[in-house]
Amino acid sequence: MNALQAVVGKVVRAHADASVAQLTRHMVEAAGVDPTSAPSPMVLRRIVETEIRRVKATGEAGHALRFDCSAISAPQGDGRPWILFVVLDVGTRMILGWHVAESAVALPGYQRAARDALAKLDDLSPPTWARRLTEVEIKSGLDKEATAKLVERLDAAISGNVQHADSDARFGRYFKKLVGGKLGLLTLTPARTLRGDALPPNGDMTPWSRSELEAHFAIRAAEYNDEVMREKQPLASDALSEIPAEVLELLHMVAEPQ
């Protein structure tokens, strides 16, 4: 039991999108416990669920990031949907940075989203910053090979677990899980990310200008971040107040690609 308790925190943070069943398997493996001699599934589940509740309560920021993209319900002038790129914090569910683009080419989209995150980090106020960044997942767009090279470079630089989500499906997966399928008047429409016309409410294909879209999303994202932070516990006197160095390094590397 002690071995399991010693690793459960790291496992939950490193695999924040996994199911409870998957987390129990990761925990047993990380602890080096023989599955045949491990506690019952009910006990393992209780350990994981307790840690999940603790992480949600403390709202620790900076231990895991997600880079995601998806078409949204706002049409462009040619009928195609605008594409949303975001940098998300798993522990707090905050939207750290974002950008809206005409196409699903990932590198310039994430570059601008990372720049937006860097510009806003000092104004964000999570209850606690993690000691270090432990895991990152980046969803590819049209430029899979370029995204894969970026992932390799990031993983080597920060010696972390940077993974490439390269499937043509599951756009917006992280946003939907952490934030939800809708923000303000904007709804995720993942199936239209690579092709097809926009799917606006009531079929209204009136185009959104970039300035209209950015103004709307900026307001709603700020309101959303304020709301999720109100759910978290106040900063403890001994909590970490500094952004993990790996978070800053990674965002700078994405914002200024080689």
Side-chain angles (χ1 to χ4, degrees):
M1 287 289 290
N2 289 341
L4 296 170
Q5 293 286 0
V7 301
V8 65
K10 181 178 180 180
V11 168
V12 168
R13 287 163 176 74
H15 303 278
D17 297 322
S19 66
V20 172
Q22 291 170 326
L23 288 171
T24 59
R25 291 195 295 271
H26 288 309
M27 178 178 64
V28 170
E29 292 172 0
V33 174
D34 184 345
T36 62
S37 61
S40 70
M42 183 178 296
V43 172
L44 295 174
R45 186 180 185 90
R46 188 180 303 123
I47 294 172
V48 167
E49 289 178 339
T50 298
E51 181 62 18
I52 290 174
R53 286 194 296 271
R54 193 188 73 79
V55 169
K56 286 183 177 179
T58 58
E60 189 176 85
H63 67 80
L65 301 182
R66 298 289 183 269
F67 289 72
D68 202 1
C69 62
S70 174
I72 53 178
S73 55
Q76 300 181 55
D78 62 359
R80 278 286 291 151
W82 286 96
I83 309 299
L84 175 66
F85 290 87
V86 288
V87 183
L88 304 171
D89 180 74
V90 174
T92 61
R93 297 184 287 115
M94 285 193 301
I95 302 170
L96 299 184
W98 58 273
H99 173 67
V100 287
E102 291 87 354
S103 73
V105 180
L107 259 62
Y110 290 140
Q111 179 184 34
R112 290 170 176 81
R115 289 176 181 172
D116 185 56
L118 287 167
K120 294 175 178 175
L121 277 181
D122 288 339
D123 294 328
L124 297 175
S125 55
T128 311
W129 284 105
R131 294 188 179 278
R132 65 181 301 270
L133 176 64
T134 61
E135 194 239 347
V136 180
E137 291 186 21
I138 300 179
K139 180 73 184 81
S140 64
L142 289 168
D143 47 345
K144 284 187 181 182
E145 291 186 7
T147 306
K149 291 179 180 178
L150 173 64
V151 168
E152 290 178 3
R153 191 164 60 86
L154 296 174
D155 190 58
I158 69 170
S159 300
N161 185 14
V162 184
Q163 298 181 9
H164 181 200
D166 63 351
S167 169
D168 281 342
R170 309 192 81 175
F171 291 102
R173 170 195 175 197
Y174 304 130
F175 190 95
K176 187 173 183 180
K177 183 178 180 66
L178 296 171
V179 179
K182 184 176 182 179
L183 195 67
L185 299 176
L186 305 172
T187 302
L188 293 188
T189 56
R192 300 300 173 102
T193 302
L194 299 182
R195 61 189 64 86
D197 287 343
L199 287 175
N202 303 317
D204 182 2
M205 291 296 288
T206 303
W208 285 62
S209 69
R210 176 181 292 279
S211 59
E212 290 173 331
L213 184 56
E214 290 178 339
H216 181 76
F217 195 86
I219 293 171
R220 299 310 177 200
E223 290 176 345
Y224 167 80
N225 282 344
D226 288 343
E227 180 180 348
V228 295
M229 283 300 94
R230 284 196 296 269
E231 299 173 0
K232 307 301 180 184
Q233 294 180 354
L235 183 68
S237 59
D238 60 345
L240 296 178
S241 59
E242 293 186 2
I243 303 167
E246 298 92 347
V247 170
L248 295 173
E249 181 179 3
L250 181 130
L251 289 174
H252 277 294
M253 290 181 68
V254 176
E256 302 168 4
Q258 300 296 317

